[in-house]
Amino acid sequence: MSGSQERPLRADAARNRARVLDVATEVFTSRGIGVPTEEIARAAGVGVGTLFRHFPTKEALLEAVMVRRLEEMSAMTAQLAAQADPAEAFFSCFRLVVEQSAGKNEFAQALAAAGVDVHASLREPTEEIQARLAGLLSAAQRSGVVRPELRLPELLALLVGTGAMLEQLGADPAARERIFEVVFDGLRPH
């Protein structure tokens, strides 16, 4: 059957797929992408054959993990925008995007090395997050809590740069918090 006419997964198959994705997300994020798929299958409580029925290659699993992480980030961003004032929503979202992006470059490099067009496969969730960020930025600027001259491309660069800085710091929570404080001070109007 073609892609749009595939049968929906049985309930147990859907649970297995979700469990594999949960475990793979946790394992790849905490231990890196070098973890063998067999170990992920074992940790998820499924056979290797079950894992490969859902994700025929390790790259397919990595791609699914990245898409899922972006979709979850988009949903959390929408929730923040709906439940918080513009300042809290903007700065909380900035922190969320930076923290949730940990390991993303390693995933993207592995997929690119395998010939996967990462930008094409992640285009939709990435565009959704960028649209949400643009809305949060506009609301924060209208509220006077973020510099009015900042534009979305600059915000995206700051998010990437802040993520790179935090990766350099490692796990020192106080140092990580100081980086956020410095960046947030720079984002506020003077």
Side-chain angles (χ1 to χ4, degrees), residues 46-68:
V46 300
V48 175
T50 298
L51 185 145
F52 284 121
R53 266 193 301 282
H54 294 291
F55 308 102
T57 64
K58 186 172 187 176
E59 291 77 21
L61 179 58
L62 283 169
E63 185 177 0
V65 166
M66 283 189 74
V67 167
R68 182 184 221 202

Side-chain angles (χ1 to χ4, degrees), residues 21 27 51 67 74 99 104-105 123 145 176:
L21 268 177
V27 169
L51 185 145
V67 167
S74 180
E99 290 173 346
K104 183 181 169 214
N105 289 338
R123 181 172 290 122
V145 296
R176 294 172 69 84

Side-chain angles (χ1 to χ4, degrees), residues 27-151:
V27 169
F28 287 150
T29 302
S30 64
R31 296 177 44 205
I33 62 169
V35 177
T37 50
E38 293 79 9
E39 190 173 326
I40 291 169
R42 193 170 34 259
V46 300
V48 175
T50 298
L51 185 145
F52 284 121
R53 266 193 301 282
H54 294 291
F55 308 102
T57 64
K58 186 172 187 176
E59 291 77 21
L61 179 58
L62 283 169
E63 185 177 0
V65 166
M66 283 189 74
V67 167
R68 182 184 221 202
R69 286 177 68 185
L70 288 172
E71 289 171 348
E72 288 173 351
M73 192 183 315
S74 180
M76 288 185 277
T77 301
Q79 185 176 12
L80 282 171
Q83 295 178 347
D85 68 80
E88 183 183 340
F90 177 82
F91 291 110
S92 293
C93 182
F94 190 103
R95 183 182 297 271
L96 169 79
V97 169
V98 168
E99 290 173 346
Q100 292 294 313
S101 295
K104 183 181 169 214
N105 289 338
E106 184 184 16
F107 286 25
Q109 289 169 358
L111 291 171
V116 175
D117 184 350
V118 179
H119 295 292
S121 62
L122 303 178
R123 181 172 290 122
E124 188 176 320
T126 298
E127 288 175 354
E128 189 174 311
I129 290 170
Q130 288 180 0
R132 293 190 193 289
L133 288 170
L136 287 166
L137 175 60
S138 293
Q141 288 172 323
R142 282 192 306 274
S143 295
V145 296
V146 171
R147 300 168 70 122
E149 70 274 16
L150 185 70
R151 298 291 171 249

